[in-house]
Amino acid sequence: MRILHLLASPFFSGPAENVALLALAQREAGHEVTVAVDRRRKDVPAEEPAVPRFRELGLLDEGGMELSVKSPPWEMWSDLRRLRKREVDVVHSHFSHDHLLARWGRPRGAVLVRSLHAPRSLRASLPAADAYTVPASMLLSPLREKGRTAEVLPALVDPRFHPVEDRQALRRELGLEGHPVLGMVSTFQPSRRHAVGVEAFALYRRQRPEARLVLVGDGALLEATRRQVTELGLEDAVTFTGYQQGDAFVRWLQALDEVWLLGLGNDWSARAAAQARACGVRVVAVEEGALPDLADARVASPTPEAVVSAALSGQRAPIAHPTNARIASDLLALYERARRAR
């Protein structure tokens, strides 16, 4: 099967990592797979560029498409014409710009699959496709009730995410003291509820005074969170790591006993929860997106008291997250069902 993924992003982060892992697993299953990414935006400060990584993985599509939301109309027209001439069996589009291009430039005979990333995409004007993927099981019903072919595309996990052999030694290397070591790993933005997490940690410390909180990431609310930590007198118990990526991010996650995921961004796949579970880290999470499917302990309402209650509950859920090979197999089966239904 010849598969072309469209990913109008210049960044190798978030959804791009998931698409790369999916494409690798599909290739390992014996299929011809490439990924077209944004070739126009080359200056991506504070982010890892996508083109070099996909080229290094042997997945970068060289079909000539610019595939950028910043493209002028004539370049978009050129992309459309180039796509229409491609000889592929499946076009799997992932972002809104990709959906627009694929709608008008689908190659003759190719199956079109659209990935939806959040509930807002399930609207009356949903673009037509042969099949869809959604990031969480709760979003399947609205599509299937309309007779659409759909499947969950869960978070795929890089093999680097695994339990560390000596967690205490790793903590010494990272300069972490205290027990247990809790963490929040996300961009500092309102939807991630860092303010709730910090207030919850202050309450948690009343019962576990040796606990430490590790905050991984950066973002607009970073300084406000620093001020909150100071106002609550938690400076000696909270570590700010800044933005981490690659192996460095894996090491910080492996060092945790427990991660608190108190909200999601644009992508509901809950990738951080899947990565944490792969590292043997307990997951405490609110009931949003795919988080309920991956949490050891669920937070019924995003309040500090509810977070502390879930954290202290000791609950562990024996969840077996599917392997990348299994996820790829399920998606290949979706492509085949869509092909037969055409």
Side-chain angles (χ1 to χ4, degrees):
M1 193 179 296
R2 296 163 298 178
I3 304 166
L4 172 63
H5 291 275
L6 302 181
L7 185 72
S9 171
F11 312 118
F12 193 79
S13 61
E17 293 183 47
N18 217 46
V19 171
L21 292 170
L22 173 61
L24 284 172
Q26 290 175 332
R27 187 176 67 185
E28 289 170 3
H31 301 275
E32 181 182 322
V33 190
T34 60
V35 183
V37 299
D38 186 331
R39 297 294 193 102
R40 185 178 184 87
R41 290 180 286 174
K42 296 181 173 62
D43 184 17
V44 287
E47 293 277 5
E48 182 180 6
V51 169
R53 283 300 300 273
F54 279 102
R55 179 177 288 127
E56 177 186 335
L57 294 169
L59 294 170
L60 185 65
D61 185 75
E62 299 292 359
M65 287 185 289
E66 190 172 74
L67 202 65
S68 176
V69 296
K70 300 296 184 180
S71 294
W74 56 90
E75 286 294 347
M76 291 182 63
W77 175 250
S78 294
D79 278 356
L80 187 151
R81 294 179 63 191
R82 291 189 181 99
L83 176 61
R84 189 175 291 157
K85 293 177 181 178
R86 297 295 295 271
E87 294 184 2
V88 295
D89 301 302
V90 178
V91 174
H92 191 153
S93 67
H94 293 272
F95 285 167
S96 297
H97 182 80
D98 308 323
H99 298 336
L100 176 65
L101 181 65
R103 178 178 183 180
W104 302 108
R106 180 211 296 236
R108 182 182 299 273
V111 167
L112 176 57
V113 180
R114 301 184 187 276
S115 280
L116 309 179
H117 296 280
R120 65 178 181 276
S121 299
L122 299 174
R123 56 185 184 271
S125 59
L126 177 68
D130 297 304
Y132 300 84
T133 72
V134 293
S137 57
M138 67 173 62
L139 301 180
L140 275 180
S141 294
L143 285 170
R144 289 178 172 173
E145 288 171 1
K146 295 179 180 180
R148 309 293 178 92
T149 300
E151 189 61 76
V152 174
L153 172 53
L156 286 84
V157 180
D158 191 294
R160 292 177 298 178
F161 292 92
H162 57 79
V164 67
E165 291 184 5
D166 190 339
R167 187 174 284 173
Q168 292 303 322
L170 176 57
R171 288 174 180 171
R172 288 193 293 270
E173 290 178 24
L174 296 174
L176 291 177
E177 298 178 352
H179 182 79
V181 179
L182 317 175
M184 296 181 70
V185 290
S186 60
T187 304
F188 286 79
Q189 62 186 40
S191 68
R192 307 306 179 90
R193 300 187 177 98
H194 284 84
V196 173
V198 171
E199 188 174 344
F201 181 64
L203 297 176
Y204 185 92
R205 289 255 300 175
R206 295 178 186 175
Q207 299 191 51
R208 305 292 296 275
E210 299 302 316
R212 173 163 293 276
L213 179 64
V214 178
L215 299 177
V216 180
D218 60 9
L221 295 182
L222 174 58
E223 293 309 315
T225 305
R226 288 187 187 276
R227 289 194 297 271
Q228 182 186 12
V229 166
T230 300
E231 291 167 359
L232 292 173
L234 298 171
E235 302 101 312
D236 294 338
V238 177
T239 298
F240 288 86
T241 75
Y243 178 72
Q244 302 290 325
Q245 62 182 6
D247 291 339
F249 175 75
V250 175
R251 282 164 55 82
W252 281 105
L253 192 55
Q254 289 172 327
L256 304 178
D257 291 303
E258 179 173 298
V259 67
W260 292 356
L261 298 170
L262 306 184
L264 296 173
N266 293 327
D267 186 351
W268 271 38
S269 70
R271 193 163 54 97
Q275 292 168 337
R277 293 196 68 93
C279 290
V281 177
R282 183 170 181 260
V283 175
V284 173
V286 295
E287 296 183 354
E288 293 182 1
L291 285 172
D293 298 332
L294 292 163
D296 287 292
R298 300 182 183 183
V299 179
S301 60
T303 65
E305 294 77 12
V307 174
V308 173
S309 177
L312 293 173
S313 70
Q315 292 176 330
R316 285 272 189 179
I319 297 168
H321 191 65
T323 64
N324 292 357
R326 171 61 185 275
I327 294 170
S329 177
D330 289 345
L331 264 290
L332 291 166
L334 175 73
Y335 299 164
E336 184 60 28
R337 291 201 307 273
R339 186 192 65 80
R340 291 198 303 267
R342 281 178 61 82

